[in-house]
Amino acid sequence: MPFGLTNAPVTFQSLMNYVFQPFLYKFMLIFFDDILIYSSSWVEHLKHVEDVLRVLDQHKLYVKLSKCSFGQLKIDYLGHIVSSAGVEVDQTKVMKIQNWPIPLNVKQLRGFLGLTGYYRRFIKKYAQIVAPLTKLLQKDVFQWGEDAQVAFKTLKQALTQAPVLALPNFTQPFILETDASVWA
């Protein structure tokens, strides 16, 4: 964010959530400046787009037309494919993870771990799996060995298979189990 503002992304997300609160999860999603409007029909979609644009105008918020896509039947949104069929994993992203090369240095390893860190909550025993890799981040320790290779392969496999990539079938009953005391 410009002007050296502190907490600007959080503040902006809060503003967007406040401004669009009546529409959130009814026909729109927001992640920072990404707005997704979804509808059951074309007529309904036009109404939803009009409502969103009206609220933006009322609050003196602007969109960059070159970054907008209107009336799409399928769209890439935050690494997922959203369509009338539901939400799917973007297979190109899965292929990128499956084909991720072995890191040759600390910088490349940090890049890989940065990606996997987003999914740590969804991978059972993430901390134990990633331990040999995080050990390599220490100063002057980077030496790729068998334990790092096993961790790398295990992590890539966990990232590209269910349950990490699976969405529940909301038309069927399901049970969600969690242990709030386990963070790793």
Side-chain angles (χ1 to χ4, degrees), residues 27-40:
F27 63 83
M28 77 177 298
L29 300 172
I30 302 172
F31 184 71
F32 291 111
D33 60 345
D34 289 327
I35 298 173
L36 175 67
I37 303 168
Y38 53 92
S39 312
S40 299

Side-chain angles (χ1 to χ4, degrees), residues 4 6 22 27 43-44 55 62 71 88 101 103 110 119 122 133 137 155-156 176 179:
T6 329
F27 63 83
V43 172
E44 187 179 57
V55 169
Y62 303 95
E88 304 171 29
R110 277 195 186 113
Y119 297 99
F122 308 109
L133 299 174
L137 297 175
L155 205 47
K156 284 186 2 176
L176 177 63
D179 183 352

Side-chain angles (χ1 to χ4, degrees), residues 130-138 141 147:
V130 81
L133 299 174
T134 55
K135 192 175 188 180
L136 297 178
L137 297 175
Q138 296 171 358
V141 176
D147 55 345

Side-chain angles (χ1 to χ4, degrees), residues 39-116:
S39 312
S40 299
S41 70
W42 180 247
V43 172
E44 187 179 57
H45 189 66
L46 292 175
K47 170 82 170 87
H48 292 160
V49 170
E50 183 181 340
D51 291 344
V52 169
L53 291 175
R54 184 179 306 108
V55 169
L56 286 168
D57 184 50
Q58 288 170 348
H59 291 85
K60 305 291 187 249
L61 296 168
Y62 303 95
V63 295
K64 187 172 186 177
L65 191 58
S66 64
K67 293 189 174 191
C68 296
S69 298
F70 294 97
Q72 303 295 306
L73 298 177
K74 186 187 220 182
I75 191 161
D76 177 10
Y77 184 73
L78 301 177
H80 295 84
I81 305 297
V82 181
S83 70
S84 60
V87 180
E88 304 171 29
V89 173
D90 185 345
Q91 288 302 317
T92 60
K93 306 270 191 243
V94 172
M95 291 301 296
K96 282 183 181 178
I97 293 170
Q98 288 173 335
N99 297 327
W100 199 288
I102 294 171
L104 301 176
N105 55 46
V106 171
K107 184 177 181 183
Q108 290 176 1
L109 179 57
R110 277 195 186 113
F112 178 71
L113 293 176
L115 166 78
T116 66

Side-chain angles (χ1 to χ4, degrees), residues 160-176:
T160 56
Q161 296 181 8
V164 173
L165 302 179
L167 290 172
N169 180 350
F170 291 103
T171 63
Q172 300 290 319
F174 60 91
I175 297 171
L176 177 63

